[in-house]
Amino acid sequence: MSFADNLVYLRQHYGVTQEGLAEQLGVSRQTVSKWEAGTNYPEMDKLLALCDLFHTNLDDLMRGSVHVANKGDTERYDHHMNRHSLSMVAGVAFILAGVGVQSVIEAVDVFGDNFQAAVFLAFVVVGVMVLIMGAFNHGEFKRRNPSIEPRYPADVLDRFGRRFPLMIAGGVGLILLAVIFLVGASPDDAYALVGGVHLEELLLLPFMLTIALGVGLIM
């Protein structure tokens, strides 16, 4: 793509009019029109201002394809954010699952209190490590890509707009169903036994796992 094609693409991509771009650069609308027609080129200070304004580099703007570069940035951003979101979900899930596993061990009442605490803390340690690693990786990504700004086509935004409320509603619904299940399945006698196991403590594992799934959907 030529400089003129790149400029037209960037201006339209960011929703800027010729008048708006001219005002930001301190030139006339006719000057911007000539740049986009390929009959004139901006001076170096204006080129650098365009790079800053549209988050691109001089080489892509003058000789490359900003469309391809933008698409690559968006794909790289998506890949990173998917991994970051997964690490946050996994970290929280480990901690919540630790509560449920500890309750099952306590219900079985075979191992001592120290073993229960050790198992729970092991889940917490793994969960916290995953959260810390995810946070550091996200910070490093932002440090290495300070100007990355993903831009999505309309069809992608439409799909997200339809899926987002379903994911939120589904996550909240799972959490509420887990609470209903725990309340409804818990015996009136807090010390009820099933096969020598405390039922109320045994129910905590599926409850916490469902909570973890609901939280994961929301995140």
Side-chain angles (χ1 to χ4, degrees), residues 2 6 11 47 59 65-66 79 83 95 99 104 108 111 116 129 138 154 159 161 165 177 191 199 212:
S2 65
N6 282 330
R11 182 178 60 75
L47 287 172
D59 190 56
S65 173
V66 292
H79 178 70
R83 290 180 57 188
I95 296 173
V99 177
V104 170
V108 174
F111 305 98
Q116 297 173 26
M129 288 177 62
H138 184 56
R159 286 199 302 271
L177 285 175
Y191 299 99
L199 179 60

Side-chain angles (χ1 to χ4, degrees), residues 55-219:
H55 306 290
T56 187
N57 60 67
L58 193 59
D59 190 56
D60 285 338
L61 180 63
M62 295 301 296
R63 299 185 300 177
S65 173
V66 292
H67 176 70
V68 173
N70 179 267
K71 185 178 180 180
D73 280 350
T74 299
E75 291 175 350
R76 190 154 49 90
Y77 177 85
D78 278 351
H79 178 70
H80 164 73
M81 288 305 298
N82 286 336
R83 290 180 57 188
H84 176 62
S85 299
L86 183 60
S87 69
M88 296 297 102
V89 170
V92 173
F94 265 107
I95 296 173
L96 294 177
V99 177
V101 171
Q102 183 192 23
S103 71
V104 170
I105 297 174
E106 185 177 357
V108 174
D109 200 19
V110 174
F111 305 98
D113 293 340
N114 289 340
F115 182 78
Q116 297 173 26
V119 170
F120 171 68
L121 289 175
F123 274 87
V124 171
V125 167
V126 173
V128 170
M129 288 177 62
V130 172
L131 290 173
I132 291 175
M133 290 174 61
F136 272 103
N137 288 335
H138 184 56
E140 181 65 13
F141 179 83
K142 291 175 65 177
R143 186 186 70 82
R144 290 177 177 269
N145 304 274
S147 62
I148 193 168
E149 186 175 345
R151 292 283 172 166
Y152 302 96
D155 60 328
V156 174
L157 294 176
D158 288 341
R159 286 199 302 271
F160 174 77
R162 291 191 298 268
R163 186 175 62 179
F164 179 74
L166 291 176
M167 298 290 278
I168 298 296
V172 173
L174 275 176
I175 293 173
L176 294 177
L177 285 175
V179 173
I180 294 172
F181 162 76
L182 185 63
V183 172
S186 295
D188 295 332
D189 182 3
Y191 299 99
L193 298 176
V194 175
V197 177
H198 290 285
L199 179 60
E200 189 172 19
E201 294 173 347
L202 199 60
L203 291 173
L204 197 57
L205 178 59
F207 170 74
M208 295 307 296
L209 292 178
T210 307
I211 291 291
L213 182 58
V215 171
L217 285 175
I218 293 172
M219 294 178 68

Side-chain angles (χ1 to χ4, degrees), residues 7-72:
L7 182 58
V8 172
Y9 169 80
L10 287 171
R11 182 178 60 75
Q12 293 177 348
H13 189 69
Y14 281 87
V16 181
T17 63
Q18 286 187 343
E19 291 83 356
L21 181 59
E23 183 178 348
Q24 293 184 64
L25 296 177
V27 298
S28 65
R29 188 198 64 79
Q30 289 78 9
T31 299
V32 174
S33 179
K34 290 179 181 179
W35 293 347
E36 294 185 352
T39 58
N40 201 354
Y41 291 91
E43 298 176 353
M44 181 57 67
D45 62 326
K46 304 301 182 187
L47 287 172
L48 295 177
L50 286 169
C51 291
D52 291 338
L53 181 63
F54 294 129
H55 306 290
T56 187
N57 60 67
L58 193 59
D59 190 56
D60 285 338
L61 180 63
M62 295 301 296
R63 299 185 300 177
S65 173
V66 292
H67 176 70
V68 173
N70 179 267
K71 185 178 180 180

